[in-house]
Amino acid sequence: MPSAATLLRDVFGFDAFRPGQEEIVHTVATGCNTLAIMPTGGGKSLCFQLPALMRDGVTVVISPLIALMRDQVRGLRAAGVEAGALTSGNTEEETAEVWAALEEGRLKLLYMAPERLASGAALGMLRRIGVSLIAVDEAHCVSQWGHDFRPDYLRIGELRRALNVPLAAFTATADAETRDEIVAKLFDGQPPQIFLHGFDRPNIHLTFAAKDGPRQQIMGFAGARKGQSGIVYCGTRARTESLAQALSQAGHNACAYHGGMEADARRHVEHRFNSEDGLIVVATVAFGMGVDKPDIRWVAHADLPKSIEAYYQEIGRAGRDGAPAETLTLFGPDDIRLRRAQIDEGLAPPERRMADHGRLNALLGLAEALDCRRATLLGYFGEAAERCGNCDLCETPPETFDGTEAVQKALSAILRTEERFGAGHLIDILLGNATDKVRARGHDTLPTFGVGRDMDKRGWQGVFRQMMGHDLVRPDPERHGALVMTEAARPILRAEAPIRLRREVAQRTARPAARALVSEEDAPLLSALKAKRRALAEAAGVPAYIVFNDRTLIEMAETRPANLDAMARVGGVGATKLDRYGADFLEVINGAVEEVHPTRRKLAGRAAGEVYDQLIEAQARLSRGPEGIDKPLSCSASLLARVASQRPRDSDALARLIGEKYAERFGPAFLDVLRMAD
């Protein structure tokens, strides 16, 4: 069995594991039941793909979406791994190809949707093909506490028992309740080896902004990142279409995606997003787990997500290649009312509704945070963090003030009007605006009428939004959204606890300038490398990132490898891709490329490659004997490659490897080369 480190380098093209990966790979490969919670983009897939290559038999991967399965299969095949998927989206030819690979014992990874487990024939098929491991991607789908519950995931536990093989489950978002349910449903309550590897994605910049002309805010954000792949999430289907149209009219390559579209139209958008550089998809959350494109450079939310887990999952679709990525999340009082109403009017039991309000509160706390957003976000997941320097609050700390008195005035207005009105009417009372509605109800005679003239309307709108964000008041769906006070507000009303609020200022355009991926000096080369990637991808009919992702091209542009050995050391360039694409990209970087023997190409980037070169030189010196008068003699390239790789220690071992005839002429010189290489 090849070692994990060897497969990591030769197949996937990486010299080192990311933090946490190696221990998980070892645990899964040795057959232990495993649950790994890792950040989105943290390399979860490798933690079951690599053990699949280390173990005998077939690894079955249960994955929630066809697009996600197809994407991973394409990536594995591009790296030289036998993988296939049995999905409802397969053509007859694709299905026949997968079956043939299974029957011949070639297939190492078989991807399936959980719905396929409902078929009685599925279990018999899986028993017959010699399954040795089950891997479950997006394992939080098994939990009714999670945000993507899929009933068919409940069958996976039965499958594990029936096949009696180890199971490895992976997810990016699983709080304590969700983890407990995963263990109960997938592992029959028997605790697996659990790995909880930080939720931090330090390459993603976090920004929140209060809504102030949201369409223009999104247009400005996208405009500064023209030509980069991005996703805009919207709360309604209609908004996806109108915003996609506005972006297209502004010269962007943009399209809409939502659950109301025909299946063919959705697949067309998914295909375009995966295959085109710089496409913006304006989508509802229906455009979700199937997105595994590594070089999405930004994600924007035109409306507030439904929970902090959903927010984390959705922004996590940016920057999966580890290169810089940016996010913008817009929010306002209407978002908060809508999300509260969705929870209150849902059919979930009371304890679930309470938990959902708690998750929304955590997101609102992040939106209204006064200090480092990353520290706030990671704190929710139980991680301590220093100020990150890569969020809007670290870069531009907000101006704050003691909001205790302002909140007390607002609460007083709410209570004196019997919790029957929304923010607009309450602000009129506080500002002393004697509108017809205020006078008709006698609210111009209240003690609170006009007590808030020290702040303008914009300031009071900010106070009420932040009160909703801190869950001091909630809209009551039974009173048409009238604001009611929560228990959390009582200590402030009684002057038993203070509160600091953000001072509302004129909204700046959020992060108008996109961050450069490379220096100005390397930018032209990066553009040329992307053009070559696009041409090769189109010729092969695969997404551009299947050739190489952005991070790999960035490293090429910065390090400018001069030959195949240097190219092999670039992250993401495995043996198969080096053989297939290495010369093409070297030509872009250096111009003409010297022809390399196929045997030598297979040793590129390894120590054996340099030893091979020295053996070639030694052989050339002695090909006609030490005096240059003997009959020409030379070892084959494959024989020299074996010497370079196996490195025999003495003349007897060398003679056994290359034969007496060659050992007599080249033995001492070859052994000198091998000693110097040690």
Side-chain angles (χ1 to χ4, degrees):
M1 177 196 298
S3 72
T6 300
L7 289 168
L8 181 72
R9 182 192 66 225
D10 293 351
V11 177
F12 297 99
F14 299 112
D15 288 331
F17 287 99
R18 294 187 190 179
Q21 280 184 324
E22 187 169 15
E23 190 179 2
I24 296 171
V25 165
H26 175 75
T27 302
V28 175
T30 53
C32 294
N33 286 334
T34 306
L35 170 59
I37 296 97
M38 303 171 70
T40 304
K44 295 188 299 297
S45 301
L46 188 76
C47 290
F48 58 79
Q49 291 171 350
L50 218 162
L53 303 184
M54 298 170 68
R55 294 174 62 85
D56 293 332
V58 179
T59 292
V60 171
V61 183
I62 309 297
S63 189
L65 290 178
I66 291 174
L68 187 64
M69 290 187 270
R70 285 182 175 276
D71 188 76
Q72 292 202 6
V73 167
R74 270 194 306 246
L76 286 164
R77 287 179 174 172
V81 176
E82 289 275 5
L86 291 175
T87 76
S88 58
N90 280 20
T91 63
E92 288 185 15
E93 292 78 11
E94 287 172 334
T95 298
E97 184 183 341
V98 172
W99 277 113
L102 284 170
E103 297 296 340
E104 294 165 16
R106 290 186 286 110
L107 205 74
K108 292 302 295 178
L109 291 106
L110 175 65
Y111 283 76
M112 297 174 62
E115 289 75 13
R116 202 174 185 93
L117 301 180
S119 161
L123 179 58
M125 178 270 288
L126 293 174
R127 278 186 167 134
R128 194 175 72 253
I129 65 174
V131 174
S132 66
L133 173 68
I134 301 170
V136 182
D137 206 3
E138 309 289 0
H140 63 271
C141 293
V142 78
S143 171
Q144 297 188 54
W145 288 100
H147 54 281
D148 288 308
F149 175 60
R150 297 277 288 267
D152 289 290
Y153 264 68
L154 299 175
R155 293 191 175 93
I156 298 173
E158 300 169 19
L159 178 67
R160 182 186 66 80
R161 290 192 294 273
L163 295 179
N164 192 28
V165 296
L167 185 147
F170 299 85
T171 181
T173 49
D175 57 18
E177 294 154 325
T178 304
R179 289 199 294 274
D180 289 345
E181 194 165 358
I182 290 172
V183 171
K185 297 290 171 55
L186 296 186
F187 301 101
D188 294 330
Q190 297 299 310
Q193 290 285 322
I194 296 179
F195 296 90
L196 183 56
H197 283 291
F199 290 85
D200 193 13
R201 293 283 307 284
N203 62 310
I204 298 180
H205 185 280
L206 308 178
T207 296
F208 278 72
K211 287 186 175 179
D212 184 15
R215 173 172 291 195
Q216 287 311 309
Q217 287 173 288
I218 295 292
M219 297 290 286
F221 190 77
R225 291 148 186 83
K226 200 161 190 175
Q228 296 182 359
S229 297
I231 303 174
V232 181
Y233 282 112
C234 297
T236 65
R237 296 173 178 179
R239 191 167 296 158
T240 66
E241 294 178 353
S242 64
L243 190 49
Q245 184 178 22
L247 285 163
S248 297
Q249 290 171 348
H252 294 277
N253 186 16
C255 58
Y257 183 105
H258 57 72
M261 295 166 59
E262 294 292 331
D264 285 346
R266 291 202 306 273
R267 279 195 291 271
H268 178 64
V269 173
E270 290 168 0
H271 174 73
R272 285 187 63 195
F273 190 64
N274 281 329
S275 58
E276 295 179 23
D277 277 340
L279 182 68
I280 300 171
V281 174
V282 187
T284 60
V285 292
F287 193 64
M289 289 180 296
V291 181
D292 200 30
K293 184 173 180 173
D295 52 357
I296 298 168
R297 297 272 64 88
W298 58 269
V299 169
H301 283 91
D303 301 296
L304 188 73
K306 68 179 183 180
S307 70
I308 196 162
E309 285 89 355
Y311 166 79
Y312 177 80
Q313 187 90 357
E314 287 152 18
I315 65 165
R317 288 167 190 136
R320 292 189 178 206
D321 55 5
E326 299 179 276
T327 67
L328 169 65
T329 304
L330 302 181
F331 66 103
D334 290 343
D335 292 305
I336 302 172
R337 290 190 193 94
L338 172 65
R339 294 305 185 194
R340 293 283 188 214
Q342 287 174 333
I343 296 169
D344 289 330
E345 295 168 10
L347 301 177
E351 67 273 12
R352 174 64 188 270
R353 289 203 300 271
M354 187 179 300
D356 287 344
H357 275 301
R359 290 181 168 92
L360 177 59
N361 286 347
L363 179 60
L364 294 172
L366 179 63
E368 297 291 6
L370 302 178
D371 294 310
C372 174
R373 291 205 196 276
R374 184 167 273 98
T376 304
L377 176 62
L378 296 179
Y380 173 78
F381 291 111
E383 287 185 40
E386 302 293 325
R387 289 175 61 84
C388 71
N390 196 30
C391 72
D392 55 336
L393 297 180
C394 282
E395 291 176 349
T396 309
E399 183 183 348
T400 66
F401 69 102
D402 184 345
T404 309
E405 185 177 331
V407 169
Q408 289 171 337
K409 290 176 180 178
L411 292 172
S412 176
I414 290 170
L415 295 174
R416 290 181 185 278
T417 55
E418 300 178 330
E419 300 180 309
R420 293 183 176 276
F421 298 91
H425 184 72
L426 296 166
I427 290 172
D428 280 334
I429 294 171
L430 291 164
L431 290 175
N433 294 334
T435 65
D436 291 345
K437 184 177 177 181
V438 168
R439 286 199 304 271
R441 288 162 176 75
H443 293 164
D444 54 339
T445 64
L446 293 174
T448 47
F449 184 76
V451 298
R453 290 193 178 104
D454 56 331
M455 199 183 305
D456 62 11
K457 181 178 180 180
R458 181 191 192 90
W460 278 112
Q461 288 172 333
V463 168
F464 276 93
R465 189 198 71 243
Q466 290 177 75
M467 288 171 65
M468 293 172 74
H470 289 291
D471 202 24
L472 304 179
V473 295
R474 286 188 184 180
D476 185 347
E478 294 182 3
R479 300 185 186 185
H480 309 290
L483 295 177
V484 299
M485 188 176 79
T486 68
E487 284 300 312
R490 293 197 182 278
I492 300 173
L493 182 65
R494 296 170 178 158
E496 295 169 357
I499 185 170
R500 291 202 71 76
L501 299 179
R502 178 199 314 268
R503 194 176 298 284
E504 296 297 299
V505 296
Q507 193 72 39
R508 296 182 301 274
T509 303
R511 293 187 60 74
R515 295 187 164 193
L517 296 178
V518 294
S519 69
E520 191 175 342
E521 178 186 357
D522 294 330
L525 177 55
L526 179 60
S527 296
L529 292 169
K530 285 187 172 183
K532 173 58 71 174
R533 176 181 66 178
R534 187 162 54 250
L536 291 170
E538 288 174 358
V542 298
Y545 60 83
I546 293 294
V547 177
F548 289 125
N549 65 34
D550 275 6
R551 188 170 193 177
T552 298
L553 295 191
I554 289 167
E555 190 174 337
M556 286 185 198
E558 290 176 341
T559 61
R560 303 185 180 232
N563 50 44
L564 283 174
D565 284 316
M567 177 67 82
R569 288 190 282 272
V570 173
V573 182
T576 300
K577 290 190 177 183
L578 182 72
D579 189 50
R580 191 175 295 166
Y581 305 122
D584 292 309
F585 284 89
L586 280 173
E587 188 173 355
V588 173
I589 297 166
N590 303 305
V593 179
E594 186 179 341
E595 188 64 33
V596 177
H597 193 284
T599 300
R600 174 63 177 87
R601 197 158 55 232
K602 290 177 181 176
L603 299 177
R606 304 187 199 175
E610 295 181 16
V611 175
Y612 176 94
D613 293 340
Q614 292 167 18
L615 292 172
I616 286 282
E617 291 178 10
Q619 177 175 266
R621 291 195 304 271
L622 296 170
S623 65
R624 296 185 68 93
E627 304 299 328
I629 57 174
D630 297 336
K631 183 179 178 180
L633 186 67
S634 61
C635 300
S636 67
S638 59
L639 193 56
L640 287 179
R642 284 205 295 274
V643 174
S645 299
Q646 296 180 23
R647 301 195 186 191
R649 295 286 179 175
D650 53 49
S651 55
D652 290 340
L654 180 62
R656 285 194 298 273
L657 182 60
I658 67 175
E660 292 292 344
K661 179 174 66 171
Y662 295 112
E664 184 179 344
R665 181 168 295 186
F666 303 118
F670 282 4
L671 287 171
D672 285 344
V673 169
L674 296 174
R675 287 189 198 101
M676 287 170 49
D678 285 339

